[in-house]
Amino acid sequence: MGDAWLVCAWCGTQIAAPAELPVGATLGGDRYRVIGTIGRGGFGITYEAGDTRLKRRVAVKELFPESAVRHGSMVLTPPQARPSFRSARERFLREARVLARFTHPGIVRVYEVFEEHGTAYLVMERLSGRTLVDVLRARNEPFTEAEVVDVAARVAAALRPVHAAGVLHRDVNPSNVMLTEHGRIVVIDFGLARDFDQEQTMGMTRMVTPGYAPLEQYRGEARFGPTTDIYGLAATCYRLATGRVPVAAVERDAGGELPAPHRLNPAISKQVSDAILDGLELEPAHRPQDLDAFLARLGVRWLPDTPRSVLLGSPGAEPADLAPRPDHGSESDDQPDFGLAPSPRPELAPMADPGPAVPAAAATPPTDVAPAPAATLAASPTSVAPRSVGTDPARVAEPVS
């Protein structure tokens, strides 16, 4: 059928075209007014918008798959893509329901979800800052050990209540973790989140981010549990500590080697390196069985009790790098000017992370950026602020067989 459905059968005039919403467009019964586009992925477009009722800036995520087009105010999909669009809408609404259950400062806050114009919208807090991939890209060298451990502790603290509620994130990677202008480490994008029961073998859609997804996620059926997210968190630590995306689980299962982090970056201690490799074990039973156990292997005895990460103020994470653009105001603006369009930040060099979309059965890791020489890395002691612990992108779905 191709693109024939986009063209008038009588005169040949194009009746729809892919497009982002223009500045000034309104959503949610005219409550939200679009200020600009934050980003676009394979499943949707995220806008910065003004909440005209509460006078604040928000992020509005629009379900807009690559096959969709906009005709007037309506989002349309070709006939052959409509079943997958319905499935995507179910996942989208599930993400909203999952996020609405949690109020942890390390989880992006959701305000509202609604359906309009033939699609769905998720209204969330507007985070000013950079993803960890952007921080890594800006500094062009790996994180210090203290920074890696601090990130691990804060992501784990955010995921603990999620796991306690019987939910898995399933897509922990550096592109889904943000450092905000105030130093918060925030886990974002719960689009793949699923309920789990460790006592039962379950089938889940095989959607993966190469390098960060464990082997059981490629297979699609297993006894899923916290070890699935522990693999993603360990892979995130590996990426930050070495500057390299870990070798994909399917390649390792076929004999591919995963170099130890301390071999690639001698500033990383053997204890932390071994802990990361423990989290990246191919067999779920061989990994730490919960987040506290993983943190204990990293040498973390206390969870952070302050909201500010040690990353704030480091190279690539200076306050000026993380602050909102001048015409965007800040999170504390009382009367934001919702009519302004955003001006772009300086472009960062391209980085292939979390990688190109490929079928899960044949997923391979993205091209890496070589890590900086060890001499440029500053060794730093492992430390996080106290609170008792107690005793981590491009995806493709395959039907579960």
Side-chain angles (χ1 to χ4, degrees):
M1 180 179 292
D3 292 336
W5 71 285
L6 302 176
V7 178
C8 174
W10 295 100
C11 65
T13 302
Q14 187 171 5
I15 59 174
E20 288 143 358
L21 287 170
V23 172
T26 58
L27 297 166
D30 294 336
R31 175 172 178 175
Y32 304 103
R33 187 161 62 180
V34 173
I35 298 172
T37 301
I38 296 173
R40 178 167 185 167
F43 293 100
I45 307 171
T46 304
Y47 305 96
E48 181 169 19
D51 182 342
T52 60
R53 187 177 303 168
L54 297 180
K55 304 300 180 186
R56 64 181 175 184
R57 291 170 187 265
V58 296
V60 179
K61 186 175 181 180
E62 177 185 50
L63 176 62
F64 199 98
E66 291 179 346
S67 62
V69 295
R70 201 179 307 279
H71 180 218
S73 63
M74 296 299 295
V75 174
L76 308 175
T77 52
Q80 68 272 21
R82 284 169 192 164
S84 62
F85 179 75
R86 285 192 292 270
S87 298
R89 183 164 54 193
E90 291 174 6
R91 291 195 301 270
F92 191 89
L93 297 174
R94 185 188 303 119
E95 177 183 8
R97 290 192 293 269
V98 168
L99 285 171
R101 295 165 64 180
F102 306 106
T103 57
H104 192 280
I107 299 174
V108 62
R109 301 183 187 105
V110 61
Y111 299 137
E112 182 183 7
V113 64
F114 59 89
E115 296 184 70
E116 191 175 71
H117 305 317
T119 190
Y121 297 87
L122 178 60
V123 183
M124 302 171 288
E125 66 174 317
R126 172 66 169 107
L127 296 173
S128 296
R130 283 178 167 173
T131 67
L132 297 188
V133 162
D134 289 334
V135 175
L136 191 65
R137 183 182 343 188
R139 64 168 52 181
N140 199 31
E141 64 181 14
F143 284 22
T144 67
E145 181 170 301
E147 292 168 341
V148 172
V149 173
D150 181 74
V151 167
R154 293 177 186 278
V155 172
L159 291 177
R160 286 174 92 208
V162 176
H163 289 177
V167 176
L168 296 177
H169 185 282
R170 295 208 313 147
D171 198 16
V172 180
N173 70 69
S175 294
N176 284 338
V177 181
M178 281 195 68
L179 173 67
T180 75
E181 61 172 325
H182 302 301
R184 284 169 59 200
I185 293 290
V186 182
V187 180
I188 61 174
D189 198 345
F190 279 69
L192 297 188
R194 293 291 185 278
D195 293 338
F196 73 92
D197 183 345
Q198 287 182 273
E199 303 304 317
Q200 296 184 9
T201 298
M202 303 176 64
M204 295 188 182
T205 52
R206 288 182 288 199
M207 300 186 71
V208 301
T209 299
Y212 301 96
L215 198 58
E216 65 268 21
Q217 207 161 325
Y218 286 82
R219 293 169 176 163
E221 186 167 314
R223 289 193 176 185
F224 292 97
T227 54
T228 298
D229 283 345
I230 287 169
Y231 188 101
L233 179 54
T236 296
C237 292
Y238 189 102
R239 178 71 167 107
L240 302 179
T242 67
R244 295 187 178 183
V245 178
V247 177
V250 286
E251 284 200 5
R252 295 170 54 209
D253 192 45
E257 181 186 359
L258 180 69
H262 73 93
R263 282 176 48 197
L264 300 175
N265 178 2
I268 300 298
S269 67
K270 189 174 187 303
Q271 176 187 352
V272 169
S273 178
D274 288 347
I276 292 172
L277 292 179
D278 284 349
L280 288 170
E281 285 282 352
L282 292 178
E283 290 300 322
H286 296 166
R287 298 174 210 145
Q289 293 301 291
D290 58 38
L291 291 162
D292 288 354
F294 179 58
L295 292 183
R297 290 288 288 118
L298 287 170
V300 177
R301 294 192 304 165
W302 310 96
L303 287 177
D305 66 351
T306 60
R308 180 176 294 187
S309 169
V310 300
L311 276 176
L312 188 64
S314 67
E318 299 286 350
D321 300 325
L322 306 173
R325 293 182 284 268
D327 58 344
H328 275 193
S330 69
E331 291 179 0
S332 61
D333 282 347
D334 293 325
Q335 298 293 332
D337 181 357
F338 293 148
L340 291 174
S343 59
R345 289 187 188 274
E347 289 293 328
L348 293 170
M351 177 178 282
D353 200 334
V358 291
T364 55
T367 303
D368 280 306
V369 175
T376 68
L377 304 174
S380 180
T382 301
S383 62
V384 290
R387 185 191 305 159
S388 176
V389 171
T391 49
D392 3 4
R395 316 177 191 108
V396 169
E398 289 187 353
V400 177
S401 56

